[in-house]
Amino acid sequence: MKIFFVTGNEAKFREASLVLGEFGIELAMDRSHRKIEIQSDNLEDIVNNALATICTGDVSEYFVVEDDGLFIDKLNGFPGPYSSYVYRTIGLTGILRLMSGINDRTAYFKSVVGLCGPQIPAKLFIGVRYGVIATEPRGSEGFGYDPIFIPSGFNKTFGELGLEIKNKLSHRAMAFRTLGNWLLGGR
Ligand code: IMP
């Protein structure tokens, strides 16, 4: 079985491919569709809207889109759905500055993966990973906020833990694993 992932993000694609590979599902990067992103505080709304522009009428292939974000408790969930913009503007340094003097550094990553395809209604799969925000960036693996996110139960950041461990426990791995289970039997 083959699924097209509508994304230009190579790192997300690599992580999702490895997870779906566990199910024997091939993932291909689809650059022919554009992921249309509405502005919303809700990741599910963003993904549902993106899916609606990809699976219009009958389709002959399976497509997935994903949206995710980092939600920091003491910043009332900021940057959340705006994670990409915030990363590009104030970056890790800006987030660490906003967090300076804050002891409760709990945060979570949330991934919402949307699937549509022939003879199936659009469906969402969700993964959440809790952790804390580090006091400084550590590690060079991964992407985005990986160098400042320490998953619960570990004392290293995703950037230090590397892809193999990240893919066992990340929000994205959880969402794509749920999708794999659903497609291969759990429907
Ligand atoms: P979007 O889902 O492409 O809008 O991006 C959300 C943003 O959240 C990304 O640009 C990254 O900066 C960040 N992000 C999402 N997932 C991860 C992750 O697994 N590690 C680190 N940062 C992430």
Side-chain angles (χ1 to χ4, degrees):
M1 176 176 203
K2 185 170 180 175
I3 300 181
F4 291 88
F5 188 2
V6 182
T7 184
N9 185 322
E10 305 268 352
K12 282 186 180 185
F13 177 74
R14 200 163 39 249
E15 291 182 12
S17 303
L18 286 171
V19 172
L20 290 185
E22 295 167 10
F23 297 87
I25 298 172
E26 183 191 346
L27 196 64
M29 194 185 266
D30 181 344
R31 292 183 191 269
S32 64
H33 290 89
R34 230 166 64 76
K35 179 186 162 206
I36 308 283
E37 269 191 45
I38 58 157
Q39 199 168 3
S40 168
D41 291 349
N42 183 285
L43 294 179
E44 285 85 347
D45 285 349
I46 296 171
V47 173
N48 272 325
N49 274 278
L51 277 182
T53 64
I54 293 162
C55 281
T56 48
D58 287 343
V59 283
S60 54
E61 309 280 5
Y62 290 95
F63 295 96
V64 284
V65 290
E66 189 211 14
D67 209 75
D68 38 25
L70 175 67
F71 297 75
I72 301 175
D73 289 352
K74 282 288 179 197
L75 301 183
N76 297 328
F78 182 83
Y82 308 102
S83 295
S84 178
Y85 177 73
V86 169
Y87 181 78
R88 282 186 278 114
T89 51
I90 63 171
L92 301 184
T93 319
I95 291 287
L96 291 177
R97 201 173 298 129
L98 288 174
M99 294 294 290
S100 77
I102 298 180
N103 291 326
D104 175 1
R105 304 181 74 85
T106 50
Y108 65 91
F109 269 124
K110 180 173 175 181
S111 161
V112 177
V113 174
L115 171 76
C116 61
Q119 270 104 52
I120 55 163
K123 193 165 168 57
L124 303 186
F125 302 88
I126 292 166
V128 175
R129 171 56 52 202
Y130 284 88
V132 291
I133 302 299
T135 48
E136 82 230 316
R138 296 200 315 253
S140 54
E141 297 206 52
F143 71 102
Y145 298 94
D146 280 347
I148 61 164
F149 184 80
I150 303 173
S152 302
F154 291 79
N155 53 21
K156 290 183 172 173
T157 65
F158 268 157
E160 294 174 297
L161 290 169
L163 182 57
E164 199 179 323
I165 297 177
K166 183 181 177 191
N167 251 5
K168 286 197 184 2
L169 46 113
S170 83
H171 50 303
R172 179 166 305 101
M174 189 185 294
F176 274 96
R177 220 164 258 130
T178 313
L179 181 153
N181 277 317
W182 184 80
L183 271 178
L184 299 186
R187 292 194 219 186

